[in-house]
Each structure stands twice: as C-alpha cells, then as structure tokens.
C-alpha cells in the first residue's frame, strides 16, 4: 500500500519537473526578443548576428526534436531528460556570461539542442507515468505551462532586463532548469523501447544542414541581394541537402521522417496550421517587442505588458477550442481562428509608430485569440488525419515542422523587414549602399539612435515614417500568408469530422 502511495506521489513530482521545463523553454525562446536592444547596446553585432540570438535556439531545437525522441527511446527517457535539462541549465549560465554576439549565438544553438532532449525525455516520461484521462490532464497541464511561458515571458523578461540586465533572462532559465533537474533526477523512472531503431545519423545531419543553410540564405538576402553569389550558393546548397535528406529517408530501414506520410492529402493540409500560427503569432511575438522598445521608446517592462494582449489568450483559448469541438469540427474552428487573426493583422498594419498603447493592444488581442484556436487543436489533428498505426511518426513530423517552421518564419520576417527598410532608406536619401545597409540593420534590431546618426538629412519623423511603412507592408504580407494557409487547410480538411483514417 505504501509503495502504491509513493508511486502515486512520485508521478506528480515528475509532472512538476516536466511542467517547469515546459514553462521556461518558451520564455528562453521569446525572452531575447525583449532583451535584443539591450544585447546590441552592450555587445554590438551586425543585424544577422543579432537575429541568430533568436534563430539559433529555434533551429537547433527544431532540427533535433525527432532525433531526441529516438535517443530517448533507445537510451532511456529519464536519462535524456536529465542530460537535456542539465545541459540546458549549464549553457544558460554560459550564455549569461557571453562577451560577444557570435559566441552567444553558438551557445544558444547548443542550448536549443539540450532543450530538445529535455522535452523528448519529459514528454515520454509523462506518457509512462500517466494513463487514460489522467494522461490527458497531465499533457493539458504541460500545455498550460507552455502557454504561461508564452503569455508572461515578455513581462518577466522586461522586468528582468530593466532591473537586473539582459543576462538575468538567461540566468532565470538556469534557476528553473536546476530545480527541474533535481526533481526529475530524484523522482523519474527510467525506461526505454527495446525495439527502438538506431539513430538516423545521415538524416539528422542532412536535415540540420538544410535548415541552417536555408535560414542563413534567407537572412543574407537583405545584405547581399537575392541574385548575389552568397545567397545563390547558400540556397542552392540548402536544396542539395534537402535532396540528400529525402534520399536518406527513402533508403533507410527505419527513417527519422517517413516521407510516405505526405501522400495523405489531409496530413499535408495539417502542416499549414503551424505555418499559419508561426506567421501570424510567433513572428509578431519576436518582432513587435523590438519595435516597441527600440523604435517607439517604451521600456522593456512597458513593452512586456503590452505583449500580454497577444500572448495571454494562449492560457485559455486552446482549452475553449477543445470544448467547442463538441459542436464544431476542429478544421472549421482552426480556419475561423486564422481568419480572426488575419483581421487582427490587417488592423495592426494600419497602426503606425506612435499609436496609443491601448489602440495597439486591441488588434494584438484579436490576433492572440484567433491564433489560440488552431494552437489548441492542430496537434490532435496531425494524428487523426493519418492511419492510427502511423500516429507516432506523424506526431514527430508535425512537431519538427512546427519548430522549424517557426524558426524559418522568424528569419524570413526579420529579413523582409530589413529589405523593406533598405528600400525605403534608399529612396529617401542619397547615402551609399553600405551606410543604408548598416542603418537598415540597426532599425531591424531596434537601434534607432544609431540609424538616426547615419542620416543627418532625415528628421526623426521621416525615419519613423519609413519604419512605419515597412512594418505595415510586412504585417500585410503576414496577413496574406495566414489567409492562404487557412484556405489550404479549409480545402484539405473541411470534410474531417474525425474518422479520417480511411483517407
């Protein structure tokens, strides 16, 4: 009896450890967006280098998440969680003492890899500890922890940046990671899959190379031009690595990614849901704090408070969406949510620099509410649109597409804003291309004063107007992509009420 009671209590400690990791990981992803102007002020760095502060973490996490799941099955779920959270904690401390941007970028990439190990081991451990409705509730609580990290991350980061400096954002990750490490190490039970396949090394390396080259190529476009030799080489090599990856997966006995799943029309359609949420929500979650702090002059705390309007709906809207599926199908709810987010984006696009905070928060709230609907439904949809025996692989593919899509969309958003600013500054002044490029980089990363110092002929108001116009075009573009993704999802998924395994 005592052993049963001990086991019952220990599983809740396991839940606490995994939820603590789930709370801090999204904060460590989005927190640097609030801290980026402060990082640039202290460490300097080019626009591309500063963009990698955010992208390095997301890319390494996304490219490693499927491999991390395979490692957890092969070597043990507890072992991967402990190694992951220990590495994440250690490198959070290392990030906090970085003295140049390039080193910070490299360590952020390592941090993202250990974050992938953490979540793969943690999710598998929860599935081991809980069954039936208890498992559903446990994963629901983990989802809430992720939502809380997204919702309150900007505020927490803002307070830390203002009071203790940007390094404290990463030290907070180390504190939470250390606590999760102690709890997980004490209470988790180790388990593994005796039939687990060996890690697909060739697939992992070619996929990671594809993502890094593609993202680097996208980010290089504003600097060098889309027809320049560096961009052509980067994007061409990315295509080659993608082809190598596909060949590796088609010829591997137990591939990391089963390409054949993409013959299911509905499965392809589901992949557009994380693309849409990345475009209408994640890109804004990263770029808008930079505008508020670096261009509009708000403090990090004020910007964090305003960002709550965008992220707080993630605490309750996904749960509401799940309740509404009793009357309305998941695809219809998801598409309705994306339409709502697109309307919010159109509204926000008409809000120039200098708009009253209360006016800005209304479209942000609409975008957050709209995004919350597919956010809470798309993981389940990714499983239901394939034969049930392929559900595990479908989940791995979807998670990878989601994480990698977010990284690529953020890189694309930063690159497009940089390109638009470069165009606007070039039309408004007669400065050299190198000066314009430097100024565009400064504006993209929120260093308004440095950009202003390069253009004595342009007033503050003129620079603000150029930024407003560029940001507005970017937001309209995000709106268009969101609507396109919603249309694809509606066409491919509209007949799903749920018995889709016969597709």
């Amino acid at each position: 009896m005592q052993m049963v009671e001990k086991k019952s209590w220990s599983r809740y400690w396991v839940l606490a450890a995994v939820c603590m990791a789930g709370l801090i990981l999204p904060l460590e992803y989005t927190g640097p967006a609030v801290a980026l102007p402060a990082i640039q002020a202290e460490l300097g760095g080019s626009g591309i280098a500063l963009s990698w502060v955010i992208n390095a973490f997301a890319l390494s996490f996304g490219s490693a998440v499927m491999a991390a799941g395979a490692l957890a099955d092969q070597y043990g779920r507890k072992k991967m969680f402990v190694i992951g959270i220990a590495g994440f904690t250690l490198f959070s401390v290392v990030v906090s003492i970085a003295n140049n941007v390039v080193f910070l970028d490299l360590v952020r990439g390592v941090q993202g890899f250990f974050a992938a190990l953490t979540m793969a081991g943690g999710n598998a451990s929860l599935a081991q500890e809980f069954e039936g409705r208890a498992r559903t509730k446990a994963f629901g609580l983990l989802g809430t922890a992720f939502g809380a990290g997204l919702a309150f991350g900007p505020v927490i980061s803002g307070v830390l940046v203002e009071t203790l400096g940007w390094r404290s954002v990463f030290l907070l990750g180390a504190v939470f990671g250390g606590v999760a490490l102690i709890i997980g190490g004490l209470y988790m039970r180790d388990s593994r899959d005796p039939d687990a396949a060996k890690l697909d090394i060739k697939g992992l390396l070619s996929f990671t190379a594809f993502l890094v080259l593609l993202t680097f190529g996208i980010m290089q476009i504003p600097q060098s031009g889309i027809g320049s030799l560096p961009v052509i080489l980067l994007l061409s090599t990315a295509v080659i690595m993608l082809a190598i990856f596909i060949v590796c997966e088609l010829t591997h006995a137990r591939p990391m990614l089963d390409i054949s799943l993409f013959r299911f029309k509905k499965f392809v359609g589901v992949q557009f849901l994380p693309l849409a949420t990345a475009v209408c929500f994640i890109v804004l979650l990263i770029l808008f704090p930079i505008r508020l702090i670096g261009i509009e002059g708000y403090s990090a705390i004020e910007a964090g408070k305003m960002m709550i309007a965008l992220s707080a709906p993630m605490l309750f809207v996904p749960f509401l969406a799940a309740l509404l599926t009793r009357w309305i199908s998941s695809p219809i709810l998801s598409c309705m949510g994306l339409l709502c987010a697109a309307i919010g984006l159109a509204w926000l696009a008409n809000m120039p620099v200098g708009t009253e905070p209360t006016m800005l928060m209304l479209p942000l709230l609409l975008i957050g509410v709209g995004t919350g609907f597919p956010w809470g439904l798309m993981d389940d949809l990714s499983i239901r649109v394939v034969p049930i025996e392929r559900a595990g692989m479908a989940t791995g593919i979807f998670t990878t597409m989601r994480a990698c899509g977010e990284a690529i969309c953020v890189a694309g958003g930063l690159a497009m804003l940089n390109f638009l600013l470069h165009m606007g500054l070039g039309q408004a002044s007669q400065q050299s291309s190198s000066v314009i490029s430097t100024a565009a980089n400064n504006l993209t990363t929120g260093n308004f004063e440095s950009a202003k110092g390069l253009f004595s002929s342009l007033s503050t108001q003129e620079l603000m107007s150029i930024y407003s116009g560029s940001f507005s075009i970017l937001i309209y573009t995000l709106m268009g992509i969101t609507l396109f993704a919603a249309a694809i999802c509606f066409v491919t998924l509209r007949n799903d009420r749920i018995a889709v395994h016969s597709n």
Side-chain angles (χ1 to χ4, degrees), residues 227-246:
S228 65
L229 184 61
V231 171
I232 291 173
L233 285 175
L234 285 166
L235 296 182
S236 299
T237 311
V239 172
I240 292 171
M241 295 311 301
L242 177 60
I244 292 173
F245 171 69
I246 292 172

Side-chain angles (χ1 to χ4, degrees), residues 190-271:
D190 214 350
S191 67
R192 65 188 69 194
D193 180 0
D195 300 320
K198 291 184 178 180
L199 186 62
D200 180 7
I201 297 292
K202 292 180 182 178
L204 174 62
L205 292 177
S206 56
F207 185 66
T208 302
F210 158 69
L211 284 176
V212 172
L213 289 165
L214 176 63
T215 304
F216 214 121
I218 291 171
M219 294 168 65
Q220 192 66 36
I221 291 173
Q223 309 288 319
S224 307
I226 196 166
S228 65
L229 184 61
V231 171
I232 291 173
L233 285 175
L234 285 166
L235 296 182
S236 299
T237 311
V239 172
I240 292 171
M241 295 311 301
L242 177 60
I244 292 173
F245 171 69
I246 292 172
V247 171
C248 289
E249 300 310 281
L250 290 174
T251 56
H252 199 283
R254 295 285 295 274
M256 184 175 73
L257 186 150
D258 188 351
I259 304 292
S260 67
L261 278 176
F262 287 91
R263 66 186 175 86
F264 294 99
K265 180 185 71 173
K266 293 180 186 296
F267 183 72
V268 174
V270 164
Q271 309 312 311

Side-chain angles (χ1 to χ4, degrees), residues 88 90 153 167 173 212 215 218 221 265 271 279 291 314 346-348 352 364 383 444 456-457 502:
F88 176 82
L90 172 63
R167 299 176 189 274
V212 172
T215 304
I218 291 171
I221 291 173
K265 180 185 71 173
Q271 309 312 311
V279 165
R291 165 179 159 170
M314 289 300 168
W347 190 358
L348 184 66
L364 290 176
I383 297 172
T444 302
S456 56
S457 60
S502 61

Side-chain angles (χ1 to χ4, degrees), residues 188-390:
M188 274 186 178
R189 296 182 296 124
D190 214 350
S191 67
R192 65 188 69 194
D193 180 0
D195 300 320
K198 291 184 178 180
L199 186 62
D200 180 7
I201 297 292
K202 292 180 182 178
L204 174 62
L205 292 177
S206 56
F207 185 66
T208 302
F210 158 69
L211 284 176
V212 172
L213 289 165
L214 176 63
T215 304
F216 214 121
I218 291 171
M219 294 168 65
Q220 192 66 36
I221 291 173
Q223 309 288 319
S224 307
I226 196 166
S228 65
L229 184 61
V231 171
I232 291 173
L233 285 175
L234 285 166
L235 296 182
S236 299
T237 311
V239 172
I240 292 171
M241 295 311 301
L242 177 60
I244 292 173
F245 171 69
I246 292 172
V247 171
C248 289
E249 300 310 281
L250 290 174
T251 56
H252 199 283
R254 295 285 295 274
M256 184 175 73
L257 186 150
D258 188 351
I259 304 292
S260 67
L261 278 176
F262 287 91
R263 66 186 175 86
F264 294 99
K265 180 185 71 173
K266 293 180 186 296
F267 183 72
V268 174
V270 164
Q271 309 312 311
F272 280 84
L273 288 174
L275 169 66
T277 56
V279 165
C280 67
F281 181 75
I282 299 296
V283 172
L284 214 54
L285 200 65
I286 301 298
L287 266 65
F288 207 65
I290 298 173
R291 165 179 159 170
L292 292 174
I293 298 168
I295 307 300
E296 304 212 38
Y298 290 100
S299 70
I301 296 176
E302 291 169 333
K305 289 178 180 177
M306 292 171 68
M307 292 302 294
I308 289 181
L310 178 67
S311 53
M314 289 300 168
L315 286 173
F316 62 90
V317 174
F319 180 72
L320 173 63
L323 293 179
L324 290 174
T325 55
R326 293 183 61 184
W327 301 281
I328 307 172
S329 73
S330 295
I332 296 299
L333 283 171
S334 297
C335 292
M336 288 171 57
L338 292 178
L339 180 60
C340 179
I343 294 171
L345 287 169
W347 190 358
L348 184 66
N350 287 284
M351 299 285 181
V353 171
T355 301
E356 286 294 318
T358 51
M359 295 298 294
L360 286 172
M361 292 170 74
L362 291 173
L364 290 176
L365 181 63
L366 186 59
I367 295 166
V369 170
T371 308
F373 280 90
W375 193 276
L377 301 173
M378 57 189 181
D379 291 272
D380 182 51
L381 270 172
S382 70
I383 297 172
R384 292 192 291 117
V385 297
V386 299
I388 193 64
E389 65 271 13
R390 314 289 289 282

Side-chain angles (χ1 to χ4, degrees), residues 141-161:
L141 191 58
L142 177 60
T144 301
F146 265 92
L150 285 174
F152 299 110
V155 177
I156 294 170
S157 298
V159 171
L160 289 174
V161 170

